[in-house]
Amino acid sequence: MTKTVKVAIVGCGGIANGKHMPSLSKLKHVELVAFCDVLFERAEKAVAKYGVPGAKVYEDYRELLQDEAIDVVHVLTPNDSHAEISVAALDSGKHVMCEKPMAKTAAEARKMVEAAKRSGKKLTIGYNNRFRPDSQHLHQLCERGDLGEIYFAKAHAIRRRAVPTWGVFLDEEKQGGGPLIDIGTHALDLTLWMMDNYKPKSVMGNTYHKLSQKKNAANAWGPWDPEKFTVEDSAFGFITMENGATIVLEASWALNSLDEDEAKCSLSGTEGGADMKDGLRINGESFGKLYTTNIELGAGGVAFYDGKSESDADLEARLWIDNILHDTEPVVKPEQAYVVTQILEAIYESAKTGKAVYFEEKSSLVANK
């Protein structure tokens, strides 16, 4: 018989309710057995909706980690506690799924990688955009070499006006930054994954606080409070890789632009190109002519039937639990997520100093393929 995986949730807020708990609850080999939140009533609501009979509720994650029956911990807290909780969970003998970004700083992210190696337990990061149909298809094309050597790429994370005004998103101390570390991290992860390139050489970056101080601003979630908006509203990075490849990263919650794209990438290779701007488009040349191909990603094809499909969150959860059950490597490896965090930190550092950040001056871990 297949083992039942006992999962604990640490942090029962928005991402837990919007993504992790609904997806995990659909899996027949998963039991949600413990819930922890600094707001006890949130954990109580979570256990009532998703917990198995006898599931426990905690205010302190340290008490939760003492339960040896727990196999997996999902760390779904603000960024500043990702590393602390993940390292403790790994050292207590649990596998860990930590929401993105991996950590607030590269030093903290490195501690997480080291804890996973030390404990022999699995660690993955919640970059769920890798599991979208367009991402999965494009990655297969890149692996097969259809684009050749990808030497130029753009990582897109642009919103015209969609500043998250709830939780701690605007709190630099809790989050470590704004749109760059929040949504830019998704776009950069996708881009590096497609390129299969985790060796940065240098980074230049700029951050801006241009629109954050506007009062009564138009916004998807209502006007933000300028006094509480302590993070950047936009950030841009120019990344050079060791092999000479270039990545341009753009991230903003509020930008006067009609060119809105989030968690997408554009790739240019020696044999072809691709982008996610209007569905998944592949471009190249054939017999002296240029072509553009739009990939049909729907699951249908039969009248009155849309086909079966799986959301990115559901696929992420299912494959992660399969990693536990079958002792296989996660799709998102911690070494890869560590490099993402290094680059994001370098953009912030460059923006503060006005100078390029060179990675030969930094201690780095090489991400395995």
Side-chain angles (χ1 to χ4, degrees):
M1 292 180 63
T2 303
K3 174 187 174 183
T4 297
V5 179
K6 298 184 184 299
V7 178
I9 303 294
V10 179
C12 300
I15 197 66
N17 284 279
K19 171 184 161 184
H20 291 263
M21 294 189 296
S23 294
L24 288 167
S25 67
K26 296 175 185 177
L27 300 174
K28 63 181 179 180
H29 299 303
V30 168
E31 289 184 353
L32 291 166
V33 299
F35 301 82
C36 178
D37 199 284
V38 291
L39 298 177
F40 195 71
E41 58 271 22
R42 281 205 306 215
E44 287 184 314
K45 288 181 181 179
V47 74
K49 187 171 184 179
Y50 295 106
V52 297
K56 299 177 180 178
V57 178
Y58 300 87
E59 282 184 291
D60 189 334
Y61 76 88
R62 298 172 189 84
E63 293 181 19
L64 179 150
L65 295 181
Q66 294 175 14
D67 187 345
E68 296 181 358
I70 295 171
D71 302 302
V72 179
V73 173
H74 280 226
V75 179
L76 314 176
T77 58
N79 299 346
D80 65 341
S81 60
H82 282 186
E84 175 189 323
I85 299 171
S86 295
V87 170
L90 289 162
D91 284 341
S92 71
K94 277 77 169 162
H95 304 290
V96 171
M97 156 70 82
C98 178
E99 248 308 320
K100 65 79 191 169
M102 187 174 191
K104 184 178 170 181
T105 68
E108 290 176 342
R110 186 184 182 97
K111 289 179 180 178
M112 293 167 67
V113 176
E114 292 170 344
K117 292 182 176 180
R118 179 172 65 244
S119 66
K121 294 299 177 179
K122 300 184 191 302
L123 168 64
T124 195
I125 308 302
Y127 285 119
N128 56 282
N129 286 289
R130 288 198 191 188
F131 300 90
R132 298 188 329 235
D134 56 342
S135 303
Q136 290 279 303
H137 191 91
L138 180 55
H139 187 252
Q140 291 181 74
L141 293 179
C142 293
E143 278 193 315
R144 194 170 67 180
D146 287 29
L147 304 189
E149 177 195 351
I150 303 170
Y151 58 91
F152 177 65
K154 292 182 179 180
H156 309 289
I158 296 293
R159 298 174 181 173
R160 186 181 180 188
R161 289 293 190 283
V163 177
T165 53
W166 67 93
V168 296
F169 283 102
L170 305 183
D171 186 334
E172 185 174 13
E173 184 63 29
K174 289 285 186 183
Q175 291 295 91
L180 180 61
I181 201 170
D182 177 42
I183 57 177
T185 190
H186 274 301
L188 180 57
D189 173 71
L190 271 183
T191 305
L192 297 178
W193 187 51
M194 298 301 175
M195 298 174 76
D196 190 23
N197 191 342
Y198 291 91
K199 295 183 178 181
K201 180 181 179 181
S202 65
V203 167
M204 282 287 292
N206 286 302
T207 59
Y208 294 94
H209 298 262
K210 297 295 186 180
L211 303 185
S212 61
Q213 299 310 300
K214 290 184 176 295
K215 296 181 179 179
N216 300 314
N219 188 48
W221 292 288
W224 56 80
D225 183 347
E227 292 186 5
K228 295 180 180 179
F229 205 142
T230 61
V231 297
E232 82 280 358
D233 53 56
S234 298
F236 306 94
F238 187 90
I239 305 147
T240 301
M241 309 302 283
E242 284 186 6
N243 70 346
T246 298
I247 300 172
V248 176
L249 171 58
E250 51 185 26
S252 181
W253 285 333
L255 191 69
N256 287 323
S257 170
L258 298 179
D259 192 15
E260 297 178 90
D261 291 295
E262 188 171 335
K264 298 180 181 179
C265 63
S266 298
L267 309 172
S268 297
T270 54
E271 300 299 323
D275 69 59
M276 297 167 153
K277 286 183 168 291
D278 183 17
L280 177 56
R281 303 185 298 187
I282 312 300
N283 68 80
E285 63 173 305
S286 178
F287 302 111
K289 303 294 184 181
L290 298 176
Y291 69 83
T292 304
T293 300
N294 288 74
I295 305 298
E296 176 57 59
L297 296 166
V302 179
F304 309 112
Y305 178 63
D306 292 331
K308 292 183 178 180
S309 62
E310 191 174 22
S311 73
D312 55 324
D314 288 353
L315 180 58
E316 177 189 46
R318 179 171 63 80
L319 293 180
W320 165 235
I321 296 302
D322 282 349
N323 295 146
I324 308 303
L325 291 171
H326 305 296
D327 192 23
T328 53
E329 276 195 299
V331 174
V332 181
K333 298 174 179 60
E335 295 87 356
Q336 296 170 338
Y338 170 62
V339 175
V340 174
T341 302
Q342 282 188 303
I343 293 173
L344 297 178
E345 184 176 82
I347 292 173
Y348 283 126
E349 183 179 336
S350 175
K352 288 179 181 178
T353 64
K355 300 177 180 179
V357 175
Y358 292 92
F359 280 81
E360 59 259 34
E361 300 171 4
K362 289 177 169 285
S363 176
S364 180
L365 296 174
V366 177
N368 297 321
K369 289 186 178 181

